[in-house]
Amino acid sequence: MGDGKPATIYDVAARAGVSKSLVSLVLQRSPRVSDQRRAAVLTAIQELDYRPSTAAVSLAGTRSRTVGVVLDDFRNQWFVDLLTGLREALQDQGHRLVVADRFLNTGLDASPVEGFLSMRVEGIVIAGEPDTDLAIPASMPVVIAGGRVSIPRADTVANDDRAGGGMAAEHLLALGHTRLGFVGASSAASKERRAGFEGAAAGAPAAGGRATVAVVVLPGEPTEEAGSRALGALLDEHPEVTAVFAANDVMALGALSELAERGLRVPEDVSVIGYDDTPVAATRYVGLTSIDDRSVEIGRGAGERLLARIADPGLAATESLVEPRLVARRTTAPR
């Protein structure tokens, strides 16, 4: 606008020669608008550099075309690929993502779901394990992406963590390691990965005798600091361990730091394998062997399932598991 003030929806309507309601319909991508009038409104929006308010559009119509995403922790790079897959599934339908960290405002005693409801989101994706105190209305479409803790009426799209843990054990056994270690946290995913790892190690013959698995699981989140502390405790009790599986890449980074501080070489002295195949694992500096949880596919599947649930809220809840795959890099080597 010439006076320096941002353009309003009324300015767009006046420039296009249409009503404010018709501008709202265009913003909502309604098929009820003729091509000629739609073109006039879009031209006016471009000429006036109009930036519509998502909240205002939502209140003016029946759909916000907005999806809320609750993350466990922004620091965990696992969410990068998950959000990529979500965006790919939702953008073709004109849906936008609004992301909140469930720990970000804990000091304010505020739930991210409350903010999403005030924005009139059409659905919610919980990326990770849901809290029981999220208080999501029964009418709200919900999909859990990546977590293995179910809640009523919610679909789940997750990685097959138990199969991935088995892959980690099979990889280390094939390299000749028989003294294995596992470091994890109290999350459901960590428990599943540990179960798969121990099951594969116990069920497979290994060179030099049956394989053993030493385990240290710390309460709380699977952080880098937890990975360092857990590995330190494991090596103090079991210095014979030659290969370690960490519940995720973040804990694996902590394990690598602890090994460096103890003067142990990776992989010459101890092999390390993580989980999630996050971007940092693939960097040449780290080169971490990891189990790819295929989080892009998980995000894409969660987005597709959420769209289906938005279209038909009465759909029965389902669980879909995505098969992981091993990505071998330089942190694992023969014993």
Side-chain angles (χ1 to χ4, degrees):
M1 298 292 290
D3 56 7
K5 295 180 180 179
T8 68
I9 193 170
Y10 297 98
D11 298 321
V12 173
R15 176 68 66 92
V18 299
S19 67
K20 169 184 167 293
S21 298
L22 191 135
V23 175
S24 295
L25 289 174
V26 172
L27 293 174
Q28 296 165 40
R29 304 189 181 190
S30 170
R32 294 184 292 155
V33 182
S34 68
D35 291 341
Q36 182 179 359
R37 289 191 169 186
R38 187 185 307 277
V41 170
L42 294 177
T43 298
I45 288 174
Q46 184 176 13
E47 291 176 350
L48 296 172
D49 194 24
Y50 173 61
R51 296 290 184 268
S53 163
T54 301
V57 172
S58 181
L59 292 171
T62 57
R63 301 192 61 181
S64 67
R65 293 197 176 274
T66 301
V67 169
V69 183
V70 181
L71 301 183
D72 274 344
D73 191 341
F74 277 122
R75 294 170 297 180
N76 192 332
Q77 292 192 4
W78 172 78
F79 299 120
V80 174
D81 288 340
L82 180 106
L83 290 173
T84 298
L86 263 176
R87 186 178 64 249
E88 290 176 357
L90 297 173
Q91 65 184 2
D92 288 344
Q93 301 296 321
H95 286 76
R96 61 180 64 83
L97 298 178
V98 181
V99 181
D101 182 334
R102 66 186 176 97
F103 294 121
L104 195 58
N105 293 322
T106 50
L108 302 177
D109 195 27
S111 166
V113 173
E114 295 177 10
F116 290 155
L117 295 179
S118 68
M119 299 174 66
R120 299 179 65 190
V121 298
E122 295 188 9
I124 293 176
V125 174
I126 301 174
E129 296 179 13
D131 284 339
T132 56
D133 59 354
L134 282 177
I136 301 174
S139 60
M140 177 63 66
V142 178
V143 174
I144 301 169
R148 299 302 300 275
V149 177
S150 61
I151 60 177
R153 305 173 310 279
D155 296 292
T156 299
V157 182
N159 169 254
D160 191 339
D161 297 294
R162 191 173 291 241
M167 289 179 184
E170 291 165 2
H171 174 66
L172 296 176
L173 291 170
L175 293 174
H177 296 279
T178 58
R179 299 296 176 259
L180 310 178
F182 173 83
V183 292
S186 56
S187 68
S190 177
K191 293 175 183 177
E192 286 289 306
R193 293 167 187 179
R194 172 187 173 182
F197 187 71
E198 291 184 307
R210 188 70 62 179
T212 61
V213 180
V215 174
V216 172
V217 174
L218 298 181
E221 299 297 316
T223 63
E224 183 175 350
E225 194 272 336
S228 176
R229 288 193 294 113
L231 185 63
L234 186 145
L235 291 179
D236 287 344
E237 291 291 327
H238 301 278
E240 73 279 5
V241 166
T242 63
V244 175
F245 172 42
N248 66 6
D249 287 350
V250 177
M251 292 195 79
L253 291 178
L256 292 173
S257 297
E258 181 67 21
L259 289 169
E261 290 181 8
R262 290 172 178 246
L264 295 172
R265 301 167 300 165
V266 176
E268 292 85 354
D269 298 320
V270 180
S271 286
V272 177
I273 181 170
Y275 207 111
D276 293 335
D277 196 33
T278 55
V280 70
T283 60
R284 288 189 295 176
Y285 179 76
V286 178
L288 176 67
T289 296
S290 185
I291 303 297
D292 179 7
D293 66 351
R294 300 176 64 194
S295 49
V296 171
E297 286 81 359
I298 292 174
R300 188 181 298 116
E304 292 171 352
R305 190 60 191 173
L306 186 66
L307 288 175
R309 183 159 290 283
I310 291 172
D312 184 1
L315 289 174
T318 62
E319 180 183 74
S320 301
L321 295 182
V322 176
E323 189 72 13
R325 57 193 172 204
L326 173 76
V327 181
R329 299 190 179 92
R330 68 168 181 266
T331 60
T332 53
R335 182 168 65 95

